[in-house]
Amino acid sequence: MRQRLFISAMFGAFLAVTLVAVPAHAEFKFAYVDVQRALNECDAGKRAKADFQGKVTTLEGHLQRQQNEVQALKDEMEKKGMLMNADQRQALQDQYMEKLKDFERDYKDSKDELQAKDQEVTAKIVHDLAQVIRTLGERDNYTMVFEKGSILWGAPNIDITDQVIRSYNAMHVTIGTVGEGPGGAVAPASMQGDDDPAGASQPSEFGTDAAKKSTISK
């Protein structure tokens, strides 16, 4: 009984402090952005995706040729191996093993290269989107802007993804440079120095988190 009274009293005190801290006339304004859609549909994202797909096609063609060579050697060993002398069989087997190792190494290297390229370009574009989102949020007096993937539901009229895409496209800058001075977007005063409001998240933090969940390869 005493424990319940204590918890009730603590909750009442917390509620009272909260009501005092937030003025009765305060209005909250929220929005959300579908970062993956913005990444897919912005001009920079479309160019990056096309470039990425070109690299994928080139690497796939190279790997397919290697795989065909490995398979051809394997077929030759199975069909003609018994007709060869020991030295010929050993030479063919050595050639097969060398080609197979080359293929496996190139396959892994290609996969790692594509993944690194995906992460690099995605991070740069999402960094830019984060800067744009923050600029729009400050300009339009949003209390908070959420990433769509982090909310269960949001009314369509507070989705500002299209606005973010249009704003980013209008900048015509090199990816990853928004908010970095000359050549980047013009940022509001609160983004020019180190005097950010207490508790405000940095665009780079948002960009890093969002980039982990987004990809130009989708």
Side-chain angles (χ1 to χ4, degrees):
M1 182 65 178
R2 290 181 179 177
Q3 185 178 13
R4 288 199 298 269
L5 289 174
F6 175 76
I7 294 174
S8 177
M10 289 295 293
F11 177 75
F14 170 78
L15 184 60
V17 170
T18 302
L19 291 175
V20 170
V22 180
H25 64 276
E27 294 184 3
F28 298 103
K29 187 178 180 182
F30 301 104
Y32 65 88
V33 176
D34 186 337
V35 175
Q36 182 62 57
R37 182 165 77 83
L39 184 64
N40 289 341
E41 298 181 11
C42 69
D43 292 341
K46 290 177 181 178
R47 289 192 298 269
K49 182 181 286 290
D51 179 65
F52 184 80
Q53 289 301 325
K55 292 181 184 298
V56 170
T57 300
T58 299
L59 288 172
E60 283 180 341
H62 173 69
L63 291 172
Q64 186 61 58
R65 288 190 294 272
Q66 283 186 294
Q67 188 175 32
N68 291 342
E69 291 175 1
V70 171
Q71 187 62 47
L73 289 171
K74 182 179 180 182
D75 292 342
E76 185 176 358
M77 284 195 303
E78 292 176 349
K79 294 176 181 178
K80 302 178 181 180
M82 297 302 295
L83 304 177
M84 297 178 178
N85 60 43
D87 290 340
Q88 289 175 325
R89 282 198 304 272
Q90 186 61 51
L92 184 60
Q93 185 175 0
D94 290 344
Q95 186 180 5
Y96 166 76
M97 292 303 299
E98 183 178 356
K99 290 283 187 181
L100 180 60
K101 289 179 180 178
D102 288 344
F103 170 73
E104 292 174 341
R105 183 189 63 247
D106 288 352
Y107 178 85
K108 181 181 182 302
D109 290 347
S110 298
K111 182 179 179 181
D112 292 344
E113 178 185 342
L114 289 174
Q115 185 175 5
K117 183 66 175 178
D118 183 357
Q119 292 174 345
E120 176 190 358
V121 177
T122 295
K124 288 182 178 180
I125 298 176
V126 174
H127 160 84
D128 290 348
L129 293 172
Q131 296 279 358
V132 172
I133 291 166
R134 183 171 179 177
T135 299
L136 292 176
E138 291 183 345
R139 186 196 71 186
D140 297 336
N141 297 316
Y142 284 104
T143 306
M144 191 173 294
V145 179
F146 296 92
E147 204 285 310
K148 184 179 180 180
S150 64
I151 60 177
L152 296 176
W153 179 84
N157 64 332
I158 63 170
D159 182 350
I160 61 171
T161 305
D162 288 337
Q163 187 178 358
V164 170
I165 294 171
R166 288 193 298 269
S167 296
Y168 185 32
N169 288 346
M171 293 175 182
H172 304 292
V173 295
T174 303
I175 64 171
T177 64
V178 175
E180 295 184 357
V186 177
S190 61
M191 295 178 64
Q192 301 293 336
D194 299 325
D195 299 327
D196 288 329
S201 60
Q202 298 297 317
S204 58
E205 295 173 357
F206 168 85
T208 300
D209 291 340
K212 294 176 182 177
K213 306 173 185 176
S214 309
T215 171
I216 58 170
S217 61
K218 281 187 179 180

